[in-house]
Amino acid sequence: MAIDGSLLPYVGPAVVCVRGPSRSGKTALCERLVAAIEARGKRVAYLKRTHHALDLPDKASGRIWQRGPSAMVLRATDRLQLTLPPGARTVDSLLACFPPGIDLVLLETHTAEPFPTILSDRLLPAAGEEVIGRWALETVEAGVPGLVEAALARLPSDRNLDLALRAALRMHGSHVCAGLVLGTRLALHGAALLGVEVPDGKKRLVVTVETDRCAVDAIQAVTGCRPGKRTMRLLDYGKLAATFIDQWEGRAIRVAARGELRELATARGLAEDRHEAQRLAYLAMDAEELFNWSPADAAIAQFDLPGPPRRRVLCATCGEEVSDGREIPTESGSCCRPCALAVQVSRETEAV
């Protein structure tokens, strides 16, 4: 998933190049960086492009791969290996292959890339290359602590916000907009105020949203609530607000974006473009600056509760099944809403 450059302080994974010529110690340095950074509790991935064929064993897996499967998974005692066709060589396409939750990618390369770079002392920086550290083959071990700190400094400062934004971006097709950012912040704030861990997969949290725009994708992605699970309801009032209900504790709060928020964000002047200025401001502002909140009614009507339908009836007109009390009583019997409306319109027409 490609990340817009202006979001890099907030959205990962961070990418750091380890660049040098052949036999300069790139892999030796990456070995040490991986071990040291993983020891700091961060999830590290390693990326390298090579012109050489991979060393698949000349056994069953090798013969299968020669037949051209779309993917192959090998599970050994020390690792699980996913093998895919090579695809494109671009860094963005390769980064998309990593699982969610990676904090830092070390890209071993001999060519300059548009990422912060740890550069071999055998090379001069390329034009525009951001060098955050240097190493020498002869002293590679001694330089590791400083290079670890330089790499960690590139990580987003708020990991929860980082992972939430990544989930929202996946849900929204990688399109970044101010509404998506604001919906992400609103979902995190609402869940934090209730003390409910998200994403919620236990149907503890039920959310009612008051808009049908981009923020809804973010709220779904962050909270784990879904209309199909009956843990999210859409009441399109055209307001960027949501009510969060903790079914276990019987508590609820309503969180709403401040009315003057757009003007406050633009006034910060974080970018010349108005939309980008708002997006960056929504990332940087404290939650208390972004939102108002108040207690709300935690009661949920029986026909709106998660779980199986409480009642099913057949429409007296079309014969189709209607669930959860959505039928409407008419003189001819219980009808679905479209049929009941059609009957009403027909009678009004006849009366005229």
Side-chain angles (χ1 to χ4, degrees):
M1 178 178 64
I3 298 299
D4 184 281
S6 62
L7 289 182
L8 290 178
Y10 304 96
V11 183
V15 180
V16 172
C17 293
V18 176
R19 188 167 83 87
S22 297
R23 303 186 183 280
S24 61
K26 296 190 297 295
T27 302
L29 177 60
C30 286
E31 290 178 51
R32 290 160 174 78
L33 291 176
V34 167
I37 296 172
E38 285 277 347
R40 298 281 289 270
K42 305 300 181 183
R43 299 186 66 191
V44 186
Y46 172 75
L47 174 58
K48 179 179 180 179
R49 293 166 294 188
T50 178
H51 297 288
H52 307 293
L54 295 180
D55 186 22
L56 287 170
D58 188 20
K59 294 186 178 180
S61 58
R63 297 196 305 273
I64 291 293
W65 185 249
Q66 290 176 4
R67 297 295 183 177
S70 295
M72 183 170 71
V73 173
L74 300 178
R75 196 273 182 189
T77 56
D78 65 331
R79 75 182 74 181
L80 185 146
Q81 178 177 298
L82 170 64
T83 305
L84 301 171
R89 285 180 52 85
T90 63
V91 174
D92 282 347
S93 66
L94 296 171
L95 290 174
C97 297
F98 286 115
I102 295 296
D103 294 304
L104 176 69
V105 177
L106 293 176
L107 169 57
E108 182 179 322
T109 179
H110 65 276
T111 59
E113 297 285 349
F115 300 103
T117 299
I118 299 172
L119 189 64
S120 166
D121 67 345
R122 298 183 185 179
L123 294 177
L124 294 175
E129 188 172 26
E130 181 188 1
V131 177
I132 62 172
R134 304 293 294 257
W135 93 90
L137 177 60
E138 298 75 18
T139 58
V140 63
E141 193 75 48
V144 167
L147 296 177
V148 167
E149 296 302 326
L152 291 177
R154 315 305 300 192
L155 299 184
S157 58
D158 186 334
R159 191 170 191 268
N160 286 336
L161 176 58
D162 167 28
L163 296 179
L165 282 167
R166 292 197 225 177
L169 285 166
R170 288 193 296 272
M171 175 73 75
H172 206 53
S174 297
H175 170 65
V176 183
C177 62
L180 191 78
V181 172
L182 200 55
T184 301
R185 298 292 309 276
L186 187 148
L188 287 173
H189 191 48
L193 288 171
L194 279 183
V196 177
E197 185 177 349
V198 289
D200 171 50
K202 302 177 181 179
K203 297 186 179 180
R204 173 180 180 177
L205 187 64
V206 174
V207 180
T208 299
V209 293
E210 300 178 26
T211 178
D212 65 350
R213 292 192 172 272
C214 302
V216 177
D217 279 355
I219 295 170
Q220 285 191 80
V222 174
T223 63
C225 296
R226 302 283 189 274
K229 293 166 59 179
R230 311 202 86 216
T231 53
M232 174 172 282
R233 297 180 64 213
L234 175 61
L235 303 176
D236 185 16
Y237 298 153
K239 306 174 75 172
L240 210 166
T243 298
F244 298 80
I245 302 172
D246 180 352
Q247 292 195 99
W248 292 5
E249 300 294 333
R251 297 185 301 121
I253 58 168
R254 179 179 181 272
V255 183
R258 292 181 178 272
E260 72 281 9
L261 186 56
R262 196 182 307 275
E263 290 73 23
L264 291 173
T266 304
R268 291 202 167 204
L270 298 181
E272 292 185 6
D273 178 77
R274 174 172 58 89
H275 297 290
E276 185 176 359
Q278 291 171 1
R279 181 176 62 183
L280 294 177
Y282 296 158
L283 285 166
M285 295 168 71
D286 293 334
E288 290 74 16
E289 298 177 271
L290 296 172
F291 308 111
N292 293 314
W293 72 274
S294 58
D297 184 3
I300 303 176
Q302 64 163 326
F303 289 129
D304 293 330
L305 287 168
R310 268 65 179 179
R311 184 169 74 206
R312 296 185 177 94
V313 300
L314 297 181
C315 174
T317 300
C318 68
E320 295 176 357
E321 187 177 82
V322 184
S323 300
D324 291 314
R326 270 50 174 180
E327 73 276 5
I328 296 177
T330 69
E331 291 182 359
S332 58
S334 296
C335 292
C336 66
R337 293 180 182 182
C339 289
L341 179 60
V343 170
Q344 179 183 350
V345 170
S346 176
R347 288 177 177 172
E348 291 175 353
T349 302
E350 291 175 0
V352 172

